[in-house]
Amino acid sequence: MRDASFLDHRESDWDDVFDTNVKGMFRATQVAARGMKRREGGSIVNIASITGLRQAGGIASYAVSKAAVIQRRA
């Protein structure tokens, strides 16, 4: 998490948070899904944060990355 308002965020900090929270979740889920396919079953539970649903001052990249994890197909 990087403490900075949206206007003060550096792109490199934004990228670091997204690499951890979104890309990291994607990679871990992909590895688990491959194992589940081989075993023909299983469950994946991704944990996010209430911050992904509510405005959070000073932690814009964290909040948006958690919203990305929460997002699901309608």
Side-chain angles (χ1 to χ4, degrees), residues 18-64:
F18 267 72
D19 281 349
T20 300
N21 293 345
V22 181
K23 214 184 276 186
M25 183 269 311
F26 164 74
R27 288 177 178 154
T29 301
Q30 193 175 50
V31 168
R34 286 186 178 125
M36 289 168 48
K37 184 177 180 183
R38 282 191 304 274
R39 292 185 301 280
E40 298 181 0
S43 298
I44 297 172
V45 178
N46 290 312
I47 307 283
S49 169
I50 192 69
T51 305
L53 299 172
R54 299 186 178 161
Q55 181 178 356
I59 54 173
S61 60
Y62 179 80
V64 174

Side-chain angles (χ1 to χ4, degrees), residues 1-2 4 6 9-28 51-52 59-71:
M1 179 174 8
R2 301 292 195 272
F6 177 76
H9 237 56
R10 295 185 316 221
E11 186 174 350
S12 61
D13 289 339
W14 188 271
D15 290 342
D16 287 346
V17 172
F18 267 72
D19 281 349
T20 300
N21 293 345
V22 181
K23 214 184 276 186
M25 183 269 311
F26 164 74
R27 288 177 178 154
T51 305
I59 54 173
S61 60
Y62 179 80
V64 174
S65 72
K66 292 304 180 177
V69 171
I70 293 167
Q71 181 59 42

